[in-house]
Amino acid sequence: MKFPLWASLMALAASAQAAQAAPVPDTMAQRLQACTVCHGKEGRATSEGYFPRIAGKPAGYLFNQLVNFRDGRRHNATMAYLVEHLPDDYLREIAGYFAGQNLPYAAPPVPTAPPQQLALGAALVREGDARRGIPACTACHGERMTGVVPAVPGLIGLSRDYVTGQLGAWQTGQRRAAEPDCMSTIARRLTAQDVSAVAAWLSAQPAPVDAKPAQQPVHLPLPIDCGSGLQ
C-alpha cells in the first residue's frame, strides 16, 4: 500500500521536529566531532591517508600543536580556522580529551618498499647517523616509538604520506616549533632518500599491545636541545 505524498512529507517534518527537540549532550565528545571528521572516530585515524592519529598522543604534544596552528607555526587552513579564537585553557582541555583515548591501533599496511630502503629506514630510526649529526628517532620518541610524556609524540601508526609530508614541512620551514627547533635541524640533515626510507619503515611497523607513551626517554640528556619538549 502506497502512502500519499502529503503523508510522507508530514512524517518527514515530524521526524525533523523531533530531532530538533532532542537535547544535544554537552560533552567533549560531542563538541569535538569536527575533529573526528578528519582524524577518525575518537581520533584514531587509520594508517591510510594523510590525517594523523591523535588518540593517545601525549597531552603536552597535542596542546603544543593546537597552539602552533593557532599562532601560525603550522599551516593548515582548516585547523587554523577551528582554533583561531580558542584560549589556551580550552586547547588544553581538547588535548587532554584526545590524550585520554586509549584505543587499539589499526594494523599497518603490507610494506611495498624494497628491502634496502626498509633497512635504511630501520637503521636511521634505531641508530641514527652520528657522522651526519642525526640522532636515532628512538632516542627522543621512545624505544617503542610510542612517544614520551609530556610532549614527545609517538611515531607508530602514522601513514607513509604523513611522515613524508611532515619531514618535508620541517625541511622547508612550513612547520616550525619553539626555539631551539630541533626537528627542523634534524630534518634538514636528512636526504630525500633518508626521508623516504624512514617513512616507509615507520609506516610498516605494528603498534605494541600497550601503546601508551613512555614516562621518560631512553637516555638522558637528550641528544639535541629542543624547545617545548620536542614538538
Side-chain angles (χ1 to χ4, degrees), residues 49-215:
Y50 189 76
F51 301 104
R53 176 188 175 102
I54 52 178
K57 286 284 197 297
Y61 171 75
L62 294 176
F63 171 72
N64 286 343
Q65 300 321 299
L66 291 169
V67 170
N68 287 344
F69 280 119
R70 186 192 65 190
D71 296 350
R73 285 187 290 269
R74 290 190 71 173
H75 301 282
N76 178 283
T78 301
M79 285 298 304
Y81 175 79
L82 289 173
V83 301
E84 64 178 334
H85 299 302
L86 298 182
D88 283 1
D89 286 348
Y90 193 56
L91 295 183
R92 286 193 180 90
E93 229 182 311
I94 294 171
Y97 171 80
F98 282 114
Q101 303 303 306
N102 184 22
L103 303 163
Y105 281 66
V110 176
T112 57
Q116 299 92 330
Q117 187 180 43
L118 293 172
L120 173 60
L124 288 169
V125 171
R126 292 173 171 163
E127 302 166 19
D129 186 338
R131 180 177 57 83
R132 292 187 285 154
I134 300 170
C137 301
T138 54
C140 297
H141 294 272
E143 186 65 35
R144 302 179 307 154
M145 294 169 297
T146 56
V148 180
V149 294
V152 184
L155 303 179
I156 210 75
L158 297 175
S159 74
R160 186 174 180 174
D161 287 346
Y162 182 78
V163 174
T164 300
Q166 295 312 299
L167 288 173
W170 287 115
Q171 289 177 325
T172 61
Q174 289 298 304
R175 180 171 178 178
R176 296 178 290 113
E179 295 293 341
D181 193 344
C182 55
M183 274 306 304
S184 175
T185 299
I186 294 169
R188 287 173 179 170
R189 294 171 182 170
L190 298 173
T191 66
Q193 182 183 23
D194 294 336
V195 170
S196 295
V198 167
W201 189 81
L202 280 174
S203 64
Q205 303 312 300
V209 175
D210 177 11
K212 291 182 179 179
Q215 292 301 305

